[in-house]
């Protein structure tokens, strides 16, 4: 069985590369970062910054032993990015340059659609290196928090940016609650909620 543990500082670089490769063909990331030639490098920098400044301090990010997959969660009542978090994420703004507005539009729209039930976990990112997909690694990286949700009777929420991934999340107990459309003929996202399993 694949080993899974909480992401540590030493995981940041390799895990950022994995997630950048996983999201290279993601419709939302292509909408934010339309330049195919630079997308992976930009995403790598973004994931390095957000892992260091946002996700690792929240202590709910998991990766498999060889860092070929990761799941970045936000714990209950901590999913909103406040002014302090935005200040820590200044490196992301630098990396994105004139594409920062597109990211902010997505974040604002996501906040409008995010459920306000207290005490739920938010799966903000899950990804597997394309060369390792289909081996259960993404499921393994998600499992620790899903098991905690079940044990503690807590819900979980995510937005799928690929319709083809909806069935994967449904397998783990998530159901589509609504879709949201990004502006300017942007892609759709599928909002999905999971009730704890008894």
């Amino acid at each position: 069985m694949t080993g899974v543990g909480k992401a540590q500082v030493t995981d940041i670089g390799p895990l950022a590369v994995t997630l950048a490769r996983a999201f290279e063909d993601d419709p939302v990331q292509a909408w934010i970062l339309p330049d195919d030639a630079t997308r992976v490098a930009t995403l790598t920098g973004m994931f390095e910054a957000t892992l260091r400044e946002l996700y690792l301090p929240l202590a709910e990010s998991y990766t498999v032993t060889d860092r070929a997959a990761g799941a970045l969660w936000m714990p209950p009542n901590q999913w909103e990015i406040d002014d302090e978090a935005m200040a820590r994420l200044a490196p992301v703004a630098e990396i994105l340059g004139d594409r920062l507005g597109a990211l902010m539009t997505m974040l604002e729209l996501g906040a409008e659609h995010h459920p306000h039930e207290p005490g739920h976990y938010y799966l903000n990112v899950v990804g597997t290196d394309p060369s390792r997909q289909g081996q259960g690694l993404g499921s393994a990286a998600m499992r620790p928090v899903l098991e905690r949700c079940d044990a503690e009777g807590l819900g979980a929420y995510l937005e799928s940016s690929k319709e083809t991934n909806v069935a994967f999340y449904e397998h783990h107990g998530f159901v589509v609650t609504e879709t949201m459309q990004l502006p300017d003929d942007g892609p759709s996202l599928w909002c999905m909620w999971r009730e704890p399993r008894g």
Side-chain angles (χ1 to χ4, degrees), residues 39-110:
R39 188 176 304 125
V40 170
T42 303
L43 284 171
T44 300
M46 284 176 57
F47 280 121
E48 284 178 351
T50 54
L51 279 162
R52 182 176 296 106
E53 302 297 338
L54 180 64
Y55 294 112
L56 259 63
L58 292 173
E60 292 299 344
S61 295
Y62 294 82
T63 186
V64 298
T65 306
D66 63 359
R67 291 109 154 204
L72 314 182
W73 294 84
M74 301 181 92
N77 310 315
Q78 295 186 55
W79 63 268
E80 292 183 277
I81 299 178
D82 58 19
D83 290 343
E84 182 185 331
M86 283 303 295
R88 291 199 317 272
L89 292 174
V92 174
E94 234 175 271
I95 291 164
L96 283 176
D98 63 358
R99 299 306 300 163
L100 178 62
L103 175 64
M104 296 307 295
T105 296
M106 187 199 72
L107 292 176
E108 288 163 9
L109 186 63

Side-chain angles (χ1 to χ4, degrees), residues 22-39:
F23 281 87
E24 179 180 9
D25 66 347
D26 179 82
V28 171
Q29 298 306 325
W31 180 77
I32 295 171
L33 302 168
D35 185 351
D36 293 345
T38 61
R39 188 176 304 125

Side-chain angles (χ1 to χ4, degrees), residues 139 142 158-176 190-192 197:
S139 297
M142 291 166 55
L158 62 83
E159 298 116 358
S160 177
S161 50
K162 278 187 180 177
E163 188 172 15
T164 52
N165 289 343
V166 167
F168 167 77
Y169 296 121
E170 288 175 337
H171 175 75
H172 291 283
F174 288 88
V175 296
V176 175
W190 288 261
C191 303
M192 304 188 73
R197 291 175 168 172

Side-chain angles (χ1 to χ4, degrees), residues 81 90 135 144 152:
I81 299 178
Q135 300 176 17
E152 299 176 3

